[in-house]
Amino acid sequence: ERQKSIRNFCIIAHIDHGKSTLADRLIEKTGMLTEREMQDQVLDNMDIERERGITIKLQPVRLVYKRSDGNEYILNLIDTPGHVDFTYEVSRSLSACEGAILVIDATQGIEAQTLANTYLAMEHDLTLIPVINKIDLPSAQPDMVKEEIENVLGIDSSEAILASAKEGIGIDEILEAIVEKIPYPQGNEDAPLRALIFDSYYDNYKGAIAFVRVKEGVVKPGSKIRMMSTGKAFEVTEVGIFRPKAMPCDELRAGDVGYIAASIKNVSDTRVGDTITDDENPASEPLPGFRKIPPMVFSSIYPSDSSRYEDLKAALEKLQLNDASLVFEPDNSIALGFGFRCGFLGLLHMEIVQERLEREYDMDLITTAPSVVYKVTKTNGEVLYLDNPTNFPSPTEIEKMEEPIADATIMLPKEYVGPIMDLCQERRGTYKGMQYLDEKRVILEYELPLNEIIFDFFDALKSRSRGYASLDYELKGYKESSLVKLDILVNGEVVDALSLIVHKDKAYERARKIAVKLKESIPRQLFEIPIQAAIGSKIIARETVKALRKDVLAKCYGGDVSRKKKLLEKQKEGKKRMRKIGEVDIPQEAFMSVLKIG
Ligand code: GDP
Ligand code: MG
């Protein structure tokens, strides 16, 4: 009975189509926050989310909706990220829900993540409510979007709600549709407890907090709970709901979305996807969990001031508490000293982790070029998964090299098909097919090597389609490939942190670019410095930093004492940001500039 007044749903969409803004309107309409508390994209509570205007983490919130007939409904809403790197967050959110609001921008139509997220929701058997958003804009084309909904998603578009999250149009209709169409939860409250962990974070006072959807049973403070994957037991200290801040309550029952705290010291004990049950009266079977998503992109992170290694370690550990998809292990480089090899879900995830380390933990970092995970079969039969070029075996030991391949879906207006097909060709793509979305837009399907996607593919796609193309990709498997290790030598010494694994057809071009960039960013010194790029012992590109002329140097030694002092100070500061490779001082910026081109 109680469950009949509960609706659990999430909001899914392509990035920027208006999920977070719609969540704002729903929060406002149900009067949960005062006007003073209300701000734009209120659920995006990380600084970095607010600044970039994107949602990175899923965010649940509980709303109370008073219907005109006087009945009250509890709506548990989960706002989700739209970017491809965070699909994992979306699929976890879906598991906590019976329905999803599918937001589509009326000026853009269906885009790559619209399709991907719709498929995910269908796999979870969720009831979908299509909402065509931004109808306030003059360029809105709701009829065309309706046609796409029918043709591409196979959903009856007569049900689609026309809305403007910005202007507050259609919000009542959406609330009604949520109550009318999304099934209420129907878990057995008397059965042994089964609660699905769909997220977790670490609170300094309360310990690891599990975000849960209770499917069956009841949990309250004092309950003894057990994690079904590890068998570890804990006593519940607090349960609560999201308003959107954590607010304690008496109990969570079947159908509820909320959180559980149990003085859990280790976030790894609140493993996302695990089932929490009652320790004394355990369920026999766990709920279906989640496929663990392995990191796809690796890079090494070094503190630019090498004395801050321990600080970096502490920062990574803290960050990982709230971002279980981040993995790292100690790494060291001759050029850069001690650091960490880190694994990420994708490039955006990598950027965000770096930015959070720099901002939230005040770190100054050097990051090596991102690499995917290659599969190497050695002549002795051993199979290696290689995420760090440093560990590249000697070519004579290699029997076979394979690289990860992704299935890519690109949606774009048809006038850009030519340039985008060229791009995919340049990136070693294999054409799989093309379909018309409607009379103006098409879907291109390609198989693309993941290492080409992470090498600024997204920017190239946007610039060649004037921003109109969208991309979704999914790892498909491994494919044999001719890969080589490209080494960069400065003054005859290999700079290990700059080594790269590249396709042999791309090696020359990349080598030249790197050599030129390095030449530009290494200051002249007292002697001539050769910069070389090599595959094994074969040099394939060379540039030279010419020696300083004596008279230029002499000038520096004139002038008054205080100026000289200042200069020395400055040099000392500068030295800290230099790395010595053999006899050569390489400024940090040089690493940065090279690593930018991959
Ligand atoms: P999300 O990435 O799906 O969460 O999208 P956001 O809610 O962050 O919105 C992306 C951008 O679209 C923001 O600049 C919003 O102000 C804007 N936006 C959202 N809904 C509407 C709408 O109904 N009309 C207009 N004109 N702009 C909107
Ligand atoms: Mg958002």
Side-chain angles (χ1 to χ4, degrees):
E1 271 313 295
R2 191 188 67 93
Q3 291 183 66
K4 282 192 177 155
S5 65
I6 300 177
R7 300 292 181 276
N8 298 315
F9 66 98
C10 46
I11 307 183
I12 56 177
H14 190 76
I15 195 158
D16 272 353
H17 282 202
K19 293 176 293 291
S20 300
T21 309
L22 177 59
D24 287 352
R25 289 298 87 73
L26 296 175
I27 288 169
E28 228 171 44
K29 201 78 184 185
T30 53
M32 186 187 63
L33 296 176
T34 62
E35 223 166 274
R36 199 172 50 82
E37 289 169 316
M38 197 64 209
Q39 47 177 345
D40 284 352
Q41 279 105 32
V42 67
L43 296 183
D44 289 343
N45 50 29
M46 281 197 273
D47 280 350
I48 189 166
E49 288 185 315
R50 305 197 60 83
E51 262 168 43
R52 292 186 172 220
I54 56 169
T55 308
I56 296 165
K57 282 213 68 73
L58 64 88
Q59 176 66 53
V61 59
R62 175 186 174 117
L63 310 173
V64 178
Y65 172 52
K66 272 203 190 69
R67 216 176 173 185
S68 49
D69 62 9
N71 288 325
E72 267 189 15
Y73 292 86
I74 289 170
L75 311 182
N76 289 309
L77 172 170
I78 305 180
D79 185 19
T80 64
H83 191 278
V84 55
D85 280 14
F86 304 112
T87 300
Y88 186 45
E89 298 268 323
V90 180
S91 87
R92 280 154 39 195
S93 310
L94 294 170
S95 308
C97 299
E98 280 78 33
I101 298 183
L102 173 66
V103 178
I104 304 167
D105 187 324
T107 68
Q108 306 286 321
I110 288 171
E111 295 193 68
Q113 274 78 43
T114 315
L115 194 63
N117 289 335
T118 303
Y119 287 157
L120 273 180
M122 286 173 170
E123 274 170 33
H124 285 81
D125 286 327
L126 299 198
T127 301
L128 281 168
I129 300 176
V131 169
I132 300 176
N133 189 35
K134 306 198 187 181
I135 55 154
D136 58 294
L137 293 174
S139 52
Q141 293 180 292
D143 289 333
M144 179 130 110
V145 176
K146 277 189 178 172
E147 203 182 304
E148 291 181 356
I149 291 176
E150 296 262 345
N151 296 345
V152 184
L153 304 180
I155 300 173
D156 180 4
S157 69
S158 64
E159 313 251 302
I161 299 170
L162 300 185
S164 163
K166 193 163 179 187
E167 307 281 324
I169 302 167
I171 308 303
D172 289 321
E173 250 181 293
I174 295 172
L175 284 165
E176 273 306 301
I178 292 165
V179 169
E180 279 295 320
K181 292 188 184 146
I182 297 176
Y184 57 86
Q186 299 183 38
N188 183 353
E189 293 189 359
D190 302 320
L193 174 68
R194 287 209 294 176
L196 179 71
I197 305 179
F198 64 90
D199 201 2
S200 66
Y201 77 99
Y202 194 79
D203 180 284
N204 286 335
Y205 302 102
K206 298 174 188 169
I209 311 262
F211 287 24
V212 295
R213 162 65 198 273
V214 182
K215 297 272 182 170
E216 286 160 357
V218 182
V219 58
K220 55 182 125 189
S223 305
K224 271 287 240 20
I225 52 167
R226 183 195 297 178
M227 305 297 169
M228 291 193 82
S229 70
T230 59
K232 286 194 189 166
F234 301 92
E235 189 179 315
V236 176
T237 55
E238 182 179 315
V239 300
I241 54 175
F242 304 100
R243 297 282 296 157
K245 290 210 167 58
M247 190 170 95
C249 64
D250 296 337
E251 58 182 17
L252 295 175
R253 308 182 74 90
D256 284 334
V257 173
Y259 67 88
I260 299 177
S263 302
I264 301 169
K265 291 280 161 300
N266 223 322
V267 252
S268 58
D269 286 330
T270 50
R271 204 172 58 80
V272 167
D274 199 359
T275 302
I276 296 178
T277 189
D278 192 297
D279 194 45
E280 273 133 39
N281 180 21
S284 53
E285 287 286 322
L287 297 161
F290 308 103
R291 200 158 41 97
K292 176 128 179 70
I293 305 291
M296 294 220 253
V297 176
F298 285 79
S299 120
S300 296
I301 297 184
Y302 298 91
S304 60
D305 174 355
S306 47
S307 68
R308 295 199 63 199
Y309 173 79
E310 287 297 330
D311 292 345
L312 176 58
K313 183 171 178 218
L316 279 166
E317 278 166 357
K318 275 223 182 100
L319 203 56
Q320 196 182 39
L321 293 179
N322 292 324
D323 182 356
S325 47
L326 167 67
V327 302
F328 62 91
E329 56 178 50
D331 188 20
N332 70 78
S333 141
I334 302 164
L336 299 176
F338 291 98
F340 295 91
R341 190 77 185 163
C342 304
F344 309 95
L345 297 173
L347 277 195
L348 179 65
H349 185 218
M350 176 174 124
E351 248 180 62
I352 282 163
V353 167
Q354 282 167 19
E355 198 171 323
R356 292 186 70 186
L357 286 170
E358 300 197 311
R359 294 163 51 141
E360 295 169 31
Y361 300 92
D362 192 30
M363 296 297 309
D364 204 359
L365 305 171
I366 301 179
T367 313
T368 65
S371 170
V372 298
V373 184
Y374 297 98
K375 187 175 170 186
V376 185
T377 308
K378 303 216 305 192
T379 43
N380 65 7
E382 197 187 330
V383 175
L384 280 177
Y385 285 89
L386 196 69
D387 66 55
N388 192 341
T390 311
N391 305 328
F392 200 85
S394 143
T396 56
E397 290 174 34
I398 298 173
E399 169 87 35
K400 186 166 86 171
M401 292 272 323
E402 288 165 90
E403 67 178 326
I405 300 288
D407 274 332
T409 308
I410 302 167
M411 294 193 185
L412 69 167
K414 66 180 178 196
E415 61 264 39
Y416 300 109
V417 165
I420 298 304
M421 285 181 82
D422 288 345
L423 172 67
C424 292
Q425 203 65 37
E426 289 162 28
R427 298 306 180 94
R428 303 188 283 123
T430 309
Y431 174 79
K432 286 284 155 187
M434 181 166 89
Q435 268 171 275
Y436 273 82
L437 263 164
D438 51 46
E439 66 269 31
K440 289 192 181 144
R441 297 203 306 147
V442 300
I443 309 180
L444 272 177
E445 311 266 358
Y446 266 90
E447 252 180 45
L448 281 165
L450 192 61
N451 91 355
E452 297 286 347
I453 295 179
I454 68 165
F455 180 52
D456 81 354
F457 184 76
F458 199 67
D459 290 340
L461 188 70
K462 287 285 173 194
S463 78
R464 292 197 202 183
S465 67
R466 297 173 136 218
Y468 283 116
S470 64
L471 163 76
D472 186 63
Y473 61 87
E474 193 176 18
L475 201 61
K476 174 193 165 84
Y478 279 86
K479 200 170 179 178
E480 190 160 358
S481 179
S482 308
L483 299 156
V484 292
K485 182 185 179 209
L486 185 63
D487 286 319
I488 307 298
L489 292 81
V490 174
N491 205 22
E493 308 237 8
V494 174
V495 185
D496 58 355
L498 295 181
S499 292
L500 279 177
I501 296 173
V502 289
H503 191 266
K504 73 169 184 3
D505 295 346
K506 299 284 171 94
Y508 283 87
E509 188 196 334
R510 201 73 82 82
R512 257 196 314 278
K513 275 194 189 155
I514 293 175
V516 168
K517 260 275 154 31
L518 264 184
K519 181 191 168 178
E520 283 167 5
S521 47
I522 295 180
R524 290 166 150 211
Q525 294 172 34
L526 289 170
F527 45 90
E528 189 176 279
I529 306 164
I531 295 165
Q532 297 159 303
I535 298 171
S537 57
K538 190 171 155 216
I539 306 290
I540 62 168
R542 182 191 160 116
E543 293 286 335
T544 307
V545 180
K546 296 240 166 60
L548 266 179
R549 292 210 333 260
K550 288 266 160 44
D551 52 336
V552 177
L553 203 67
K555 258 189 209 155
C556 300
Y557 291 96
D560 63 273
V561 183
S562 75
R563 242 190 71 201
K564 222 178 196 169
K565 237 187 187 160
K566 247 188 206 151
L567 203 72
L568 280 176
E569 281 297 308
K570 233 182 163 174
Q571 275 178 355
K572 223 164 92 192
E573 253 319 289
K575 268 276 194 282
K576 257 205 220 159
R577 302 176 71 94
M578 293 276 198
R579 297 295 168 133
K580 218 171 175 61
I581 307 295
E583 291 300 305
V584 183
D585 287 321
I586 303 185
Q588 191 177 315
E589 290 73 28
F591 286 100
M592 302 291 200
S593 67
V594 171
L595 296 169
K596 280 236 171 66
I597 48 176

